[in-house]
Structures are given as structure tokens and as C-alpha cells.
Amino acid sequence: MKGLVVYGTRYGTAAEIAEEIAKVIREEGIEVDLLDVKSVKDSDVSLYDLVVVGSGIKMGKWTKQSLKLLKKNKEALANRKVALFVSCGSANEEKTRPEGQEKYLDEVAQKNLINPPVATGLFGSVYDPEAKHGFMYNFYMRFAKKEMEKQGIDPNIRHDYRDWDEIRSWARGLADLLKNE
Ligand SMILES: Cc1cc2nc3c(=O)[nH]c(=O)nc-3n(C[C@H](O)[C@H](O)[C@H](O)COP(=O)(O)O)c2cc1C
């Protein structure tokens, strides 16, 4: 049994989630490779029983490379257990911006996979007023800041909206699927 956790990230948030997922699956006794999608070769996915693919979301989109990985490996992935996750701002406020599950996970799975994924994970992001990632990042964070102010949340301190217990439990669920085969 072998698993692959592969992630596409622009600001590092999905990478940290992927690291934790890989760590938990390893702790369950399953061999796991963790790769940045930029370093995956086309044929790599065929070596694995479980393939977890995750991405950060920017302007409603996965990273180009992670979508390309799904598309290029459509046939190979049809014969494997595939799980998808995203890290996005809408997961921080699922009640007011509920588009995440449908747009970023269900639609991506329908368009790019032959068989439905064994699991999907909608995970939150990080708000960090000190982070420096350029114009687009600052623009989005100004919008996030206004939303936080409306909700009475202090925008001057870092907030990690990733629910690490939820992420670990999701990863354990994937390991269980492999172990129970
Ligand atoms: C320029 C920009 C655009 C974003 N667009 C969206 C969006 O359309 N929907 C959303 O839910 N979150 C959006 N976010 C929040 C990101 O999805 C979130 O910060 C995520 O954790 C980024 O993952 P990454 O660091 O792995 O790239 C955006 C963030 C930035 C900086």
C-alpha cells in the first residue's frame, strides 16, 4: 500500500495542509510520498493506491499544475482511490460564502475525474496581516479584512482558519480506507 499526497500552492497554505495529511497517513503505517505538483512527473501517479490532490484557490481557481495533473492522469486515476482537498477563504466563512464545496470540489471532480473521489476536504486558510505576497494578495486581504471587521474579528492579528483536528481526522479516514481493503 502506498499513498501520494500532491499539492498546488501559491502562498504555502495548502502545502502545510498536505504535509499534515501525509504525516497522519504515515503514522497509520502507510508509506506516503509528499510532492509539490511542480515536481510530479506524468507517470508518477500509477505507482500509488491512494492519490490525494489538493490546491489553494485563487479567484475561484485551483493552481494550473494541479488541474493539469488531474486531467493528464484521468485514466490512471480512474483505477485508484482519489481524494481532493482545497484550502480557501470561503471555507473560513462557509455560512456566508457557501460556494466552496460545490465550485471548488464537486465541479472539479465532475470535470476531471472518471470516478467520484473517495473523499473531498474543504479546508480553511490563513489570514496574516504581516504576510507579503504582492499586489493581488494585498488586494484580497483588504477584502478579507473588511469582512472580519464586519464580524467583529480583530484583523490586526494572524488567524489560522485551518481546523487541524478536522484535517487529521480526514487523513485518518483515508488511511482507514486503505487498511480496510
Ligand atoms: C489573490 C487571492 C485570491 C483569492 N481568491 C479566493 C477565491 O476566489 N475564493 C476563496 O474561497 N478564497 C480565495 N482566496 C483565499 C485563498 O484561497 C486562501 O488564502 C488559500 O489558503 C490559499 O492557498 P495557498 O496558500 O495554498 O495558495 C484568495 C486569496 C488570494 C490572495
Side-chain angles (χ1 to χ4, degrees):
M1 287 289 158
K2 201 170 176 192
L4 170 67
V5 180
V6 55
Y7 60 88
T9 185
R10 300 175 180 95
Y11 311 106
T13 324
E16 288 171 358
I17 295 173
E19 275 166 31
E20 192 63 22
I21 291 168
K23 183 171 159 246
V24 169
I25 299 176
R26 261 182 221 129
E27 282 166 4
E28 295 293 319
I30 294 160
E31 197 184 332
V32 179
D33 287 339
L34 170 68
L35 292 173
D36 185 325
V37 69
K38 289 177 189 159
S39 62
V40 179
K41 291 188 201 78
D42 288 348
S43 58
D44 279 358
V45 299
S46 59
L47 306 170
Y48 303 93
D49 308 287
L50 168 73
V51 181
V52 183
V53 186
S55 178
I57 297 294
K58 183 178 173 189
M59 309 304 271
K61 298 231 170 3
W62 281 47
T63 71
K64 277 196 190 115
Q65 294 99 333
S66 42
L67 273 186
K68 203 166 149 191
L69 176 112
L70 293 180
K71 284 184 184 133
K72 277 205 160 183
N73 293 285
K74 205 169 183 173
E75 301 295 329
L77 290 174
N79 304 316
R80 295 180 163 76
K81 290 187 168 51
V82 178
L84 305 179
F85 77 86
V86 291
S87 166
C88 63
S90 65
N92 303 352
E93 354 162 355
E94 187 55 16
K95 283 197 197 94
T96 47
R97 296 165 62 206
E99 72 266 26
Q101 178 67 38
E102 203 177 314
K103 227 172 109 185
Y104 308 151
L105 289 162
D106 300 343
E107 274 183 25
V108 166
Q110 277 155 21
K111 275 190 197 153
N112 300 288
L113 297 176
I114 293 170
N115 294 319
V118 294
T120 55
L122 181 72
F123 303 131
S125 68
V126 174
Y127 172 85
D128 184 355
E130 305 289 324
K132 306 251 181 299
H133 291 296
F135 172 77
M136 280 298 281
Y137 185 86
N138 294 342
F139 183 80
Y140 182 85
M141 288 305 158
R142 270 206 298 278
F143 157 79
K145 186 177 172 189
K146 280 196 192 124
E147 287 299 310
M148 291 166 77
E149 279 165 348
K150 268 194 226 161
Q151 293 171 37
I153 301 166
D154 183 356
N156 300 309
I157 55 170
R158 184 180 187 273
H159 295 274
D160 189 339
Y161 289 100
R162 294 167 296 184
D163 181 337
W164 292 104
D165 286 340
E166 182 196 4
I167 291 166
R168 287 183 200 111
S169 141
W170 189 81
R172 268 194 298 277
L174 296 178
D176 287 346
L177 281 179
L178 282 191
K179 286 195 280 185
N180 294 335
E181 274 212 321

